[in-house]
């Protein structure tokens, strides 16, 4: 059922997103999207910017346990802004509602706890949910660019915008905090191409 919902309603809704969400920089979960496609786009972007700038900075970002921490309420609010039928939205609300977890250890079972965050990475709905969640992660400075593949995100900054680096990273950090995600600064990689 979830693949039917994805193919028939969610994917088409991503093609014409509302003005507050953008998916043109996202290469996951599209018929023409793949890890190869995002790498080709990243290399193309860097090469294109190098034709007009002496260097380009690429910052590879990592969100710690991104699929595990996305809040259901946040995803549902963003899904509500898509052009999908009410019955599909209600199905998604039901999909994310009423889930709980308990742990069994040495014959003891913990009480059930409600799960209000986490999306199933291997499901069609879970994957597109992360893409929708990241749809409002946008560039602040014209000329800077994102290349996203699910939760893997690269920020590309041409030499002329190098002073925008801190502002862009602060904005990404704020977006991550707002969306219950944590920017893993230990895994951040900065590459400079000349």
């Amino acid at each position: 059922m979830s693949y039917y919902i994805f193919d028939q309603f969610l994917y088409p809704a991503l093609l014409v997103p509302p003005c507050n969400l953008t998916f043109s920089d996202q290469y996951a979960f599209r018929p023409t999207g793949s890890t190869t496609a995002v790498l080709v786009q990243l290399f193309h972007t860097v090469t294109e910017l190098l034709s007009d700038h002496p260097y380009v900075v690429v910052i590879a970002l990592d969100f710690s346990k991104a699929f595990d921490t996305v809040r259901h309420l946040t995803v549902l609010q963003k899904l509500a802004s898509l052009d999908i039928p009410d019955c599909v939205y209600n199905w998604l609300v039901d999909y994310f509602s009423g889930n709980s977890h308990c742990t069994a250890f040495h014959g003891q079972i913990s009480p059930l706890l409600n799960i209000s965050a986490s999306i199933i990475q291997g499901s069609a709905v879970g994957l597109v949910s992360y893409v929708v969640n990241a749809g409002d992660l946008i560039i602040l400075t014209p000329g800077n660019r994102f290349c996203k593949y699910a939760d893997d995100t690269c920020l590309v900054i041409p030499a002329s915008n190098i002073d925008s680096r801190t502002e862009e990273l602060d904005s990404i950090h704020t977006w991550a905090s707002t969306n219950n995600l944590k920017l893993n600064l230990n895994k951040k990689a900065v590459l400079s191409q000349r």
Side-chain angles (χ1 to χ4, degrees):
M1 178 63 133
S2 64
Y3 285 99
Y4 175 79
I5 295 291
F6 174 75
D7 289 339
Q8 298 299 313
F9 300 104
L10 294 177
Y11 179 71
L14 298 181
L15 298 177
V16 187
C19 60
N20 63 332
L21 297 175
T22 182
F23 305 111
S24 60
D25 57 4
Q26 176 63 256
Y27 290 86
F29 323 118
R30 295 164 51 168
T32 58
S34 65
T35 52
T36 301
V38 74
L39 288 172
V40 168
Q41 181 59 40
L42 180 61
F43 289 131
H44 172 76
T45 299
V46 169
T47 303
E48 180 183 56
L49 290 172
L50 283 173
S51 68
D52 295 326
H53 303 300
Y55 65 91
V56 173
V57 174
V58 178
I59 304 173
L61 305 164
D62 179 66
F63 298 103
S64 298
K65 301 182 187 267
F67 282 84
D68 296 337
T69 59
V70 172
R71 281 189 205 105
H72 297 162
L73 181 60
T74 304
V75 171
L76 289 170
Q77 288 170 339
K78 293 177 187 183
L79 284 165
S81 70
L82 296 177
D83 185 21
I84 56 177
D86 288 345
C87 63
V88 171
Y89 178 76
N90 291 336
W91 183 87
L92 290 163
V93 169
D94 187 59
Y95 179 85
F96 285 112
S97 299
N99 299 307
S100 56
H101 173 78
C102 69
T103 302
F105 183 72
H106 285 298
Q108 299 291 319
I109 298 176
S110 70
L112 286 173
L113 293 175
N114 184 37
I115 298 172
S116 61
S118 174
I119 50 180
I120 301 169
Q121 190 169 355
S123 72
V125 173
L127 299 174
V128 75
S129 296
Y130 185 84
V131 170
V132 169
N133 191 63
D136 60 353
L137 174 59
I138 57 170
I139 291 294
L140 297 178
T141 307
N144 293 349
R145 304 199 192 151
F146 274 132
C147 288
K148 301 176 197 167
Y149 186 80
D151 60 330
D152 296 317
T153 303
C154 287
L155 170 62
V156 183
I157 303 173
S160 62
N161 289 347
I162 197 64
D163 291 338
S164 70
R165 181 178 45 202
T166 300
E167 182 182 20
E168 292 285 4
L169 289 172
D170 287 347
S171 175
I172 293 166
H173 181 43
T174 300
W175 175 87
S177 294
T178 301
N179 285 276
N180 202 40
L181 297 169
K182 182 178 179 190
L183 190 57
N184 186 347
L185 299 178
N186 294 329
K187 283 191 171 180
K188 178 179 66 180
V190 180
L191 306 171
S192 181
Q193 294 291 320
R194 294 181 191 263

